Amino acid sequence: MFNAAEMSEIPLTSSVSKGCFVFKSASKKRKRHVGVGDDENGSDRFRICQKLWETVQTNTEVIQDQLNKKVLDSLAEFIKKHGLGCSSDNWRQRARETPTAALMLGVNVPDHAMTFRSLCNLLQDSVTPFVVSVHAKECAAVKLLIQKVLEQLMGRGVSVDEEQEDDTALLQRTQCTISALCQWYKTVTKSLPVVVIFKDFEAFNSQVLQDFILICSRYTQELPFIFIFGIATSPSAIQHRLPHSVSSLLCIEVFHSLSCTQHLASVFDKLILNSQFPFKLSSRVIQVLVGIFLYHDFSVQNFVKGLQFSMLEHFKSQPLSMLCCQKQEALLSAKTLSKKNVERIRHLPSFMRYVETQEPQEQVQLLTNDEHVKEVCQQLLKNLHKYHKNYYPILQCLHSLTSSLPKFPLGKHIRELHVSCIEKNLWETEEYDSALQLLRILAKDELVAALRKCAEILKSTKILQNVLQQLEDFIGRLEALEGVSSEDSSGNGIISGKMEYQRTDLFQLQKTLLEKESRRTKRMNPFEVLRSQVIEFIDSLVREYLTPAELQPLNEVCYYNSSGVLRQRLNVTPRTSIQAALSHPFYYLQNESLKTDAGTISSAAPDLCIVYKLHLECGRLINLYDWLEAFLTVMSAAEDQDTNSEECGKYDSLKHARFIQAVSEMEFLGFIKSTKQKTDHVARLTWGGC
């Protein structure tokens, strides 16, 4: 029954006949702000994400230190060798010669900062406290370069006011000389070298470098300088930047760091191909991150930042990501799932596929009984963790078997094989069939060596002991075969018979020979039989353990697959982003007042957006006065002025200044430029794509 208040809210209708009318409720839609803190398990997801973030940071630094240890130790030994006898007269190989280390770091410039930080810490701890690192952007002139060196060595700043002579804490600009540094060095010297690191050698002005090296060469007896050049390209950059008269004053030794691709492979093995790291990436997300790495900057640090951004997006957008943690913690969380989260699990595509494979009674339980869903969820999480533990060792074994095959049918790097495995059934691809065909023609020693590598991988992981036992059994049986090769039985087993030779034509002879060839059978020798068994065993492991990740129930909990969002955030084009921001400021600012229809200009938009939209309506040349009038008209609408009144269109100094600033920003962004054709006009530079 309806009460009076409810009856009053129901709209009336006029109808001749009786009928049943349906009225939609006039409930107001609440604004829903998507955020981690709004969800009931937001704090748990944030805690897990923060813990994984710290794990990524720690592992990245450890990998960086391990990979750079060899080259950094070599640099330290180089500096010790040239700095031990610096107090004697023979501490230079030749007079006025400065020891110089050319450190080849590669083109991955964003990764250089961490390397130089580790180098400075190592040198200051074990070699000398006098270590200086300089950037090209801070040293536009040789005076500024010497000033930076003195500031870092003497621990004092440089006074801007030349008249502050009584301030002893600051150096005057006139005191920033190598002579002043020599006087200071004599007071604190411990016969230790002074190391100057040029972080971006190619970016320095060549004249600044030449002058600084020439000046330092005059003080080699008083100051034991040692230079380190951080080079991104090749050692020939030194010859291009320095003439022979200057480079002859340097005793140069080249040091090479590991390539960025090797660094990426180590990060990939430690963070992504690791069963202990619960967060996973889908095949398309990996392709986006690796594509940015290979085709943009070769920066491992940016790759790690992309991984961290994927983590943030996953834990923000997936409410069930609270189960993306270590096994025991995930099982405890599964026991205490709320009713809302149980419903979310039921709506997961992988769980729905799992329900369809069950018996009818089990399906009813999974769709109606929440407690039963929690129990099944715990078992599925156990299976998911077991899948990852078995997946990665078998993946490494398959990579070790196929990485040395001709033309690399399954990829040269393990990341390529991993993408193929989690994307589709690997055994259904032509590349996999080609790899098996090549494995079937391996020689005995090659096959035994490959199987030994697989056994070592399984021994290090300490799982899949039954597989390890079978591999060792195959290795033992192969080694027991002595003096047997595939050619020994090439002539055996041929069914031969008496062939009656008679005069015939060429076609008949060819037909007869083909018939004889088709009846010929070849008996396999023991090695070929055993090799065939090994390949079949490897094929069975691939089909059992390297199934696609999307087939695993609850894979959405751990796997992040929004490659479109990742590409949109990380792989953007500057011009398109700028034009989108200026044309549709709501897209970035998310302010409701900035929503406009196509072809209209919001008066609440920033001045730059208004000026940009107005300039789209102009031709090649833009009249500044007309542009200002249109801008003032939009401003008047923002102040609710009548467009027909005399006050509309008039401007004060503040509006004029805002317009000038917006036009200057447009010129800085490259949309317009001044022109000599007309003094009160500017030229438009961009067209289309708006």
Side-chain angles (χ1 to χ4, degrees):
M1 299 296 293
F2 297 95
N3 54 31
E6 292 175 341
M7 291 294 292
S8 62
E9 293 179 357
I10 300 177
L12 299 177
T13 61
S14 57
S15 176
V16 177
S17 61
K18 295 181 179 180
C20 181
F21 302 91
V22 179
F23 299 96
K24 294 183 179 180
S25 61
S27 59
K28 296 182 179 179
K29 295 183 179 179
R30 297 180 180 179
K31 294 182 180 179
R32 184 178 180 182
H33 301 281
V34 180
V36 175
D38 298 335
D39 197 66
E40 54 187 355
N41 56 6
S43 59
D44 294 334
R45 287 151 55 196
F46 176 77
R47 175 181 53 81
I48 296 171
C49 181
Q50 189 176 27
K51 186 177 179 180
L52 293 179
W53 184 289
E54 294 173 355
T55 302
V56 171
Q57 289 288 106
T58 304
N59 289 340
T60 304
E61 294 176 0
V62 170
I63 293 171
Q64 180 85 10
D65 293 339
Q66 291 176 350
L67 294 178
N68 291 333
K69 186 178 186 304
K70 184 176 180 180
V71 65
L72 295 184
D73 290 344
S74 301
L75 280 169
E77 290 298 324
F78 170 80
I79 295 174
K80 287 179 182 178
K81 179 180 68 174
H82 289 278
L84 283 176
C86 61
S87 60
S88 63
D89 296 335
N90 301 330
W91 80 284
R92 289 284 187 261
Q93 293 182 3
R94 297 193 305 269
R96 300 175 61 188
E97 188 177 69
T98 304
T100 304
L103 180 57
M104 314 307 300
L105 294 173
V107 296
N108 50 328
V109 177
D111 299 340
H112 295 180
M114 185 177 292
T115 303
F116 284 120
R117 193 183 311 122
S118 302
L119 176 60
C120 291
N121 295 335
L122 176 64
L123 296 180
Q124 290 175 347
D125 294 340
S126 61
V127 182
T128 174
F130 308 131
V131 180
V132 179
S133 59
V134 290
H135 279 286
K137 62 181 180 181
E138 302 172 345
C139 308
V142 66
K143 187 175 181 180
L144 295 176
L145 176 56
I146 297 175
Q147 175 182 317
K148 286 293 179 183
V149 172
L150 266 67
E151 283 182 1
Q152 296 187 40
L153 284 177
M154 303 174 67
R156 290 189 288 175
V158 177
S159 175
V160 178
D161 190 357
E162 301 289 349
E163 298 178 356
Q164 295 179 355
E165 299 179 356
D166 57 339
D167 192 357
T168 58
L170 297 176
L171 288 170
Q172 302 301 325
R173 290 185 183 272
T174 56
Q175 298 175 344
C176 292
T177 61
I178 301 297
S179 300
L181 182 60
C182 288
Q183 296 298 325
W184 171 85
Y185 183 77
K186 291 178 182 179
T187 61
V188 298
T189 182
K190 299 178 182 178
S191 300
L192 296 175
V194 177
V195 181
V196 182
I197 302 175
F198 298 86
K199 292 186 175 181
D200 43 355
F201 176 78
E202 291 97 336
F204 275 87
N205 186 299
S206 59
Q207 191 61 45
V208 172
L209 288 173
Q210 295 173 32
D211 294 343
F212 182 76
I213 293 173
L214 289 172
I215 294 173
C216 292
S217 66
R218 298 178 182 274
Y219 294 88
T220 53
Q221 301 301 325
E222 294 86 3
L223 277 174
F225 277 112
I226 296 179
F227 299 149
I228 297 179
F229 295 159
I231 301 176
T233 53
S234 65
S236 61
I238 299 177
Q239 300 175 357
H240 296 158
R241 309 293 294 176
L242 303 176
H244 181 265
S245 59
V246 178
S247 61
S248 61
L249 300 175
L250 304 176
C251 176
I252 302 175
E253 186 172 340
V254 180
F255 297 85
H256 291 273
S257 64
L258 287 178
S259 65
C260 52
T261 53
Q262 292 176 307
H263 192 178
L264 177 65
S266 301
V267 172
F268 214 86
D269 292 339
K270 190 71 174 179
L271 296 179
I272 297 179
L273 302 181
N274 187 356
S275 60
Q276 300 301 320
F277 191 69
F279 176 72
K280 309 296 178 184
L281 300 176
S282 67
S283 59
R284 293 186 177 180
V285 172
I286 293 176
Q287 289 172 349
V288 170
L289 292 178
V290 174
I292 294 174
F293 172 85
L294 294 177
Y295 300 109
H296 287 77
D297 52 11
F298 287 101
S299 173
V300 178
Q301 292 299 316
N302 289 345
F303 178 86
V304 173
K305 290 178 182 178
L307 174 63
Q308 291 175 327
F309 178 80
S310 303
M311 288 171 48
L312 289 176
E313 281 291 320
H314 178 69
F315 282 94
K316 176 180 178 294
S317 59
Q318 176 56 268
L320 295 174
S321 58
M322 64 176 182
L323 301 176
C324 181
C325 52
Q326 298 299 327
K327 181 179 177 181
Q328 297 302 325
E329 186 178 357
L331 294 178
L332 291 176
S333 300
K335 289 181 181 179
T336 59
L337 285 173
S338 63
K339 185 175 180 62
K340 183 184 295 185
N341 286 331
V342 170
E343 286 299 322
R344 287 169 175 161
I345 288 179
R346 289 193 177 108
H347 286 83
L348 291 177
S350 62
F351 189 81
M352 295 172 66
R353 290 194 298 267
Y354 171 77
V355 172
E356 292 175 356
T357 60
Q358 302 303 308
E359 298 294 332
Q361 296 82 1
E362 180 68 14
Q363 292 181 0
V364 173
Q365 289 292 320
L366 291 173
L367 296 176
T368 57
N369 192 339
D370 291 351
E371 294 299 325
H372 185 65
V373 171
K374 295 179 184 179
E375 295 177 1
V376 173
C377 181
Q378 296 177 46
Q379 185 59 44
L380 294 178
L381 288 174
K382 291 180 181 179
N383 296 340
L384 186 60
H385 283 269
K386 184 178 179 181
Y387 163 78
H388 288 140
K389 280 188 175 182
N390 296 335
Y391 173 88
Y392 295 117
I394 300 300
L395 180 73
Q396 294 173 358
C397 291
L398 182 61
H399 176 66
S400 66
L401 287 170
T402 60
S403 59
S404 58
L405 295 178
K407 297 184 179 180
F408 309 106
L410 294 181
K412 186 177 181 180
H413 303 283
I414 193 172
R415 62 174 180 264
E416 301 170 6
L417 179 59
H418 174 62
V419 168
S420 300
C421 289
I422 63 177
E423 187 177 21
K424 54 193 172 184
N425 292 330
L426 181 66
W427 54 89
E428 295 178 355
T429 62
E430 295 180 359
E431 294 81 4
Y432 180 74
D433 294 337
S434 176
L436 288 187
Q437 290 178 5
L438 293 173
L439 289 175
R440 288 191 178 97
I441 61 175
L442 284 180
K444 175 186 167 183
D445 54 346
E446 295 175 339
L447 184 59
V448 171
L451 293 180
R452 285 190 181 280
K453 290 182 182 179
C454 296
E456 292 297 328
I457 293 172
L458 296 179
K459 285 179 182 178
S460 61
T461 56
K462 297 181 180 180
I463 57 176
L464 298 172
Q465 294 301 313
N466 57 335
V467 177
L468 175 60
Q469 191 174 14
Q470 294 183 59
L471 277 179
E472 292 178 343
D473 179 58
F474 279 124
I475 293 173
R477 292 167 60 185
L478 284 169
E479 291 179 341
L481 296 175
E482 296 182 357
V484 178
S485 62
S486 58
E487 288 83 5
D488 292 342
S489 60
S490 59
N492 297 336
I494 299 176
I495 300 176
S496 59
K498 292 183 179 180
M499 181 176 178
E500 297 181 357
Y501 296 97
Q502 56 184 359
R503 185 183 297 273
T504 181
D505 58 359
L506 182 61
F507 175 77
Q508 189 65 29
L509 177 61
Q510 184 180 10
K511 182 178 179 182
T512 305
L513 291 175
L514 289 175
E515 291 176 355
K516 294 295 182 181
E517 184 68 23
S518 63
R519 292 198 298 266
R520 178 180 298 180
T521 59
K522 181 179 179 182
R523 185 182 302 115
M524 299 174 64
N525 62 22
F527 167 70
E528 292 175 330
V529 173
L530 188 55
R531 182 175 59 186
S532 178
Q533 293 176 2
V534 171
I535 303 305
E536 290 177 0
F537 175 68
I538 294 172
D539 182 48
S540 64
L541 293 179
V542 171
R543 294 173 182 269
E544 181 178 359
Y545 295 109
L546 298 186
T547 55
E550 63 178 12
L551 300 181
Q552 303 300 318
L554 303 186
N555 68 84
E556 296 90 348
V557 170
C558 300
Y559 282 84
Y560 175 72
N561 54 11
S562 300
S563 59
V565 175
L566 192 66
R567 186 182 292 107
Q568 185 180 12
R569 296 291 187 268
L570 300 182
N571 192 16
V572 298
T573 54
R575 177 181 172 181
T576 305
S577 301
I578 292 174
Q579 288 181 332
L582 296 179
S583 301
H584 310 285
F586 172 77
Y587 182 77
Y588 289 98
L589 300 179
Q590 295 295 314
N591 189 343
E592 294 293 335
S593 62
L594 299 178
K595 279 188 174 181
T596 57
D597 297 331
T600 60
I601 302 175
S602 172
S603 57
D607 296 343
L608 180 60
C609 298
I610 297 174
V611 170
Y612 173 78
K613 282 196 171 183
L614 291 173
H615 110 286
L616 296 179
E617 302 173 0
C618 302
R620 187 175 63 86
L621 295 178
I622 304 175
N623 189 315
L624 286 173
Y625 182 78
D626 295 340
W627 201 2
L628 174 61
E629 289 293 327
F631 177 77
L632 294 176
T633 302
V634 177
M635 289 290 98
S636 301
E639 298 172 358
D640 295 331
Q641 295 183 4
D642 187 6
T643 56
N644 297 324
S645 64
E646 296 181 357
E647 297 295 330
C648 180
K650 292 184 178 181
Y651 62 91
D652 52 14
S653 58
L654 178 60
K655 293 180 181 179
H656 196 184
R658 289 169 61 182
F659 175 76
I660 294 174
Q661 181 181 7
V663 172
S664 301
E665 291 173 351
M666 287 279 292
E667 185 175 5
F668 175 76
L669 292 174
F671 291 104
I672 60 173
K673 71 171 184 178
S674 58
T675 177
K676 296 182 180 179
Q677 296 182 10
K678 294 183 179 180
T679 56
D680 58 343
H681 285 64
V682 292
R684 182 178 173 183
L685 298 178
T686 60
W687 307 87
C690 305

